[in-house]
Amino acid sequence: MIYAGLRDHGQKDVVIEGLSGIDIALWDIKGKHFGVPVHQLLGGAQRTELVAYATGLLRRRADHSNRYLAEEAAGYVAEGFSAVKLKVGFGLEDDVATIRLVREAIGPTVQLMVDANHAYDSIAAIRLGRMIEHHDIGWFEEPVPPEDIAGYRAVKAALSIPIAGGECEFTRFGFRELFVSRALDIAQPDTCAAGGLSECKKIADMAETFGLRCIPHVWGTGIAIAASLHLLAVLPSNTPPSLRRWSSVMEKRRNLERSDTAVLLSMSLPAAAGCSAPEHCAQRSGKKITSAFRAEGQELRSTGGPECLRRRGSLRLPISRIRLSLSIVSVIEMTTRAIRRMLDDKISWPL
C-alpha cells in the first residue's frame, strides 16, 4: 500500500530505500511483540551458521605497487576467512596484475571474487574476464552499469565466471527483468535498499524459481548486517539436494570507518561459545563498534574479533544467537537521509 501511494514519486532509488528502513523496523516491532526472532517470523531458519567472506582490498592512491593488497588478503585468510573479494575496475592491465598477486597470496583453495562496481562496458568486461578466468574466480560482480542489461547478458554468455549483480536494483519488479532476461547467475538484492526484508524475501524466492543463486548485498551499519543475517537464515540452499549444498555467504566489509558509527566487522559470541576474552579481541581489532544486538535475553555488544568466530577453518556467523534489535532512533537514522533528499529536491507529496 505504501509503495503504491509513492509510485508517482518513483519506483526506485531513495523512496524504496526509505521504505526498506520502515519495513525492517516493522518486522523488528513484530518480533518484539511476539517475543521471537525475525527469522522465525519469516518462516524459520534453514541454517544456524553462515560462512563470511571478507570485502576490503581498497586501493591507496599513494601506493601503486598493489602488493599491499596481496598482504591484506593473506591477512584475512590468516584470520580465518575462506573467501575474499577484490575491487577491480582500475584498468585491464592493473586489474589482471593485482588479481594475480592476490591469488598467489591466498593460495588456490581460498575463494576469490572480483567486484568492478560497474566500471567497464561489456567489451572491456569480457576481455578482463577472459584474462582472469584461469585464476578460478568465484564471481564477477557488477561488470557493467546496472541499466545495461544487454551488456550483462553479453558478459554472461562470453565467460565461464559466474556473473553477479543487483545491488543497484530495487523491488521484485526491477529484478523481474534481470531474471527473465537471464542477465545474472547470482542475484544480490540489498536488504536495506531493495525494499527491506519483505521484498528481498520475495526476490530470493523469485530467484529460486529461475534457478538463480541469491547472495544479498550488505552495506552500512550493524543494523544492515543484522537484518541481512535474518534474511540469509531463511533462504533455501542455492543448489539442489543432489549436489554439495552451497548456501548463501555473508559479506563482511573490512577496514571501513564511519564518522558516527563504525561498521560492524565481526559479530561476537558469548564467552561460553568459544571466546574467553571478547574485550581483548575488541582492543586488538582497534575498532569502535557501537551497534548492539540482543542474544539470549542479554545485550550482546559486537566487540568480538575474528578469533571468536573461527569454525572449521572458516569464519562463521552464529545466526541463532543474534536477534535483531532496533529502536526509534535507529529507524530515524536509516530514513532521515532519504527524507532530507526528498525535501531538497522539493518533491510535492499528495495530501
Side-chain angles (χ1 to χ4, degrees), residues 57-66 68-69 90 94:
L57 306 175
L58 303 178
R59 301 299 178 97
R60 303 173 188 170
R61 294 182 180 179
D63 190 340
H64 300 289
S65 69
N66 292 346
Y68 64 90
L69 293 172
F90 302 92
D94 185 282

Side-chain angles (χ1 to χ4, degrees), residues 126 130 150-161 163 182-183 185:
I126 291 172
R130 288 174 174 169
Y152 264 99
R153 290 200 302 268
V155 175
K156 180 173 177 287
L159 301 178
S160 62
I161 303 172
I163 303 302
R182 310 297 297 187
D185 294 298

Side-chain angles (χ1 to χ4, degrees), residues 102-334:
V102 171
R103 172 52 79 190
E104 291 175 352
I106 64 177
T109 60
V110 176
Q111 281 197 336
L112 174 61
M113 295 82 78
V114 296
D115 182 359
N117 283 127
H118 44 77
Y120 292 120
D121 61 13
S122 60
I123 297 174
I126 291 172
R127 185 179 177 190
L128 174 62
R130 288 174 174 169
M131 295 170 74
I132 65 175
E133 278 180 317
H134 65 283
H135 289 299
D136 191 20
I137 304 300
W139 71 66
F140 190 172
E141 185 171 331
E142 286 199 306
V144 297
E147 60 269 26
D148 186 8
I149 298 178
Y152 264 99
R153 290 200 302 268
V155 175
K156 180 173 177 287
L159 301 178
S160 62
I161 303 172
I163 303 302
E167 69 179 82
C168 294
E169 192 52 83
F170 302 86
T171 76
R172 63 190 182 277
F173 305 112
F175 277 87
R176 177 177 56 191
E177 179 64 20
L178 293 175
F179 294 167
V180 171
S181 62
R182 310 297 297 187
L184 302 173
D185 294 298
I186 301 171
Q188 296 179 304
D190 192 303
T191 311
C192 293
L197 289 165
S198 299
E199 196 68 11
C200 286
K201 179 62 168 62
K202 295 174 183 177
I203 293 169
D205 291 340
M206 286 176 56
E208 184 184 18
T209 63
F210 280 90
L212 302 176
R213 298 181 177 185
C214 185
I215 302 177
H217 180 262
V218 184
W219 174 260
T221 66
I223 295 173
I225 294 178
S228 298
L229 279 170
H230 283 269
L231 175 65
L232 285 162
V234 303
L235 296 188
S237 173
N238 278 319
T239 53
S242 60
L243 301 177
R244 178 178 178 272
R245 293 179 67 84
W246 197 93
S247 299
S248 290
V249 292
M250 178 72 178
E251 181 176 10
K252 302 299 291 178
R253 300 276 171 165
R254 307 293 287 175
N255 296 338
L256 181 63
E257 293 284 347
R258 290 172 60 91
S259 59
D260 53 346
T261 302
V263 172
L264 184 63
L265 299 183
S266 56
M267 306 297 291
S268 69
L269 285 171
C275 176
S276 59
E279 293 297 334
H280 175 64
C281 294
Q283 293 171 3
R284 290 178 60 185
S285 67
K287 302 294 182 181
K288 180 183 178 183
I289 308 294
T290 60
S291 298
F293 298 87
R294 190 176 305 277
E296 297 182 345
Q298 298 179 348
E299 289 295 335
L300 177 61
R301 197 160 294 276
S302 53
T303 53
E307 292 81 4
C308 301
L309 296 174
R310 192 171 297 119
R311 295 291 186 274
R312 295 186 293 278
S314 63
L315 280 173
R316 293 177 178 270
L317 301 178
I319 298 173
S320 61
R321 294 182 178 272
I322 300 170
R323 180 176 177 186
L324 183 59
S325 180
L326 304 181
S327 65
I328 297 299
V329 174
S330 301
V331 177
I332 293 174
E333 288 177 352
M334 296 176 67

Side-chain angles (χ1 to χ4, degrees), residues 68-82:
Y68 64 90
L69 293 172
E71 296 174 358
E72 182 182 337
Y76 296 150
V77 175
E79 289 182 0
F81 285 98
S82 59

Side-chain angles (χ1 to χ4, degrees), residues 81-92:
F81 285 98
S82 59
V84 297
K85 188 168 74 176
L86 171 69
K87 292 292 183 181
V88 297
F90 302 92
L92 298 183

